[in-house]
Amino acid sequence: DIVLTQTPLSSPVTLGQPASISCRSSQSLVHSDGNTYLSWLQQRPGQPPRLLIYKTSIRFSGVPDRFSGSGAGTDFTLQISRVEAEDVGVYHCTQLTQFPYTFGQGTKLEIK
Amino acid sequence: EVQLLESGGGLVQPGGSLRLSCAASGFTLSSYAMNWVRQAPGKGLEWVSVISVRGGTRDADSVKGRFTISRDNSKNTLYLQMNNLRAEDTAVYFCATEAEPGTLFYWGQGTLVTVSS
């Protein structure tokens, strides 16, 4: 199985400051069709997950442009350019390149 | 607007069965691959099962032989039949759709399954 390792697991951030979360995969996430099926999800407290970024860097409809994704192969990053109060929650990376689909452990974003 | 609404969760004894439902609206469920993902209390997300557009299914090893994913196209509804439930199956179960392959685009609110005597 592909293991996704997120760092940090907890990230206290000052409002208005940037934040960055890393997701490292145990295997390349490049699919045989050439796509890299690495996504980022946001889960606010008491809410279901919500898609932010898919195929490494494509921002989903309605997602603020302060969120961006980058990376390739086995190393991926989610960046928030200026953290807002509504960004508090847990961020998960996930891969649908290979069965079984897997998720990172989650990174808790908190406001300092 | 795409909406997914899960139901069928509850308290069940170890060894018991439950059937979860996920009613879809705003799109034709059979046009996309559909997944079940679960989250144990205070834990991360765990993929459970997928049913493809053609009806093929895949399951996580942890549920293989006990859980069955299916759909009723006439009702635009996804199901998860869960048999021989164990304490470690306790979780909120979400359905999620791949509006295009390789990404879980839309998620339901989830339904809680508690396995306990």
Side-chain angles (χ1 to χ4, degrees), chain B residues 11-22:
Chain B
L11 175 64
V12 62
Q13 292 189 336
S17 297
L18 273 180
R19 188 178 80 157
L20 306 183
S21 300
C22 169

Side-chain angles (χ1 to χ4, degrees), chain B residues 16 18 20 36 38 48-49 59-60 62-69 80-86 89 93 113:
Chain B
L18 273 180
L20 306 183
W36 287 99
R38 68 185 180 182
V48 174
S49 297
D59 304 302
S62 58
V63 306
K64 205 165 288 186
R66 301 187 299 123
F67 291 11
T68 303
I69 188 171
L80 186 67
Q81 177 66 44
M82 305 187 296
N83 299 328
N84 191 19
L85 283 159
R86 306 166 179 167
D89 296 319
Y93 286 73
V113 172

Side-chain angles (χ1 to χ4, degrees), chain B residues 4-113:
Chain B
L4 297 167
L5 184 62
E6 301 94 335
S7 61
L11 175 64
V12 62
Q13 292 189 336
S17 297
L18 273 180
R19 188 178 80 157
L20 306 183
S21 300
C22 169
S25 59
F27 71 105
T28 301
L29 186 142
S30 60
S31 296
Y32 306 112
M34 294 294 300
N35 292 259
W36 287 99
V37 175
R38 68 185 180 182
Q39 186 171 36
K43 301 295 185 183
L45 298 167
E46 180 189 15
W47 174 75
V48 174
S49 297
V50 64
I51 184 166
S52 72
V53 172
R54 293 184 177 184
T57 64
R58 295 288 295 262
D59 304 302
D61 285 347
S62 58
V63 306
K64 205 165 288 186
R66 301 187 299 123
F67 291 11
T68 303
I69 188 171
S70 64
R71 65 179 181 233
D72 184 331
N73 295 340
S74 67
K75 295 182 178 178
N76 216 33
T77 299
L78 177 74
Y79 300 102
L80 186 67
Q81 177 66 44
M82 305 187 296
N83 299 328
N84 191 19
L85 283 159
R86 306 166 179 167
E88 55 265 35
D89 296 319
T90 294
V92 175
Y93 286 73
F94 300 99
C95 59
T97 182
E98 293 180 50
E100 62 177 69
T103 301
L104 299 174
F105 277 85
Y106 299 100
W107 294 66
Q109 289 293 315
T111 186
L112 175 62
V113 172

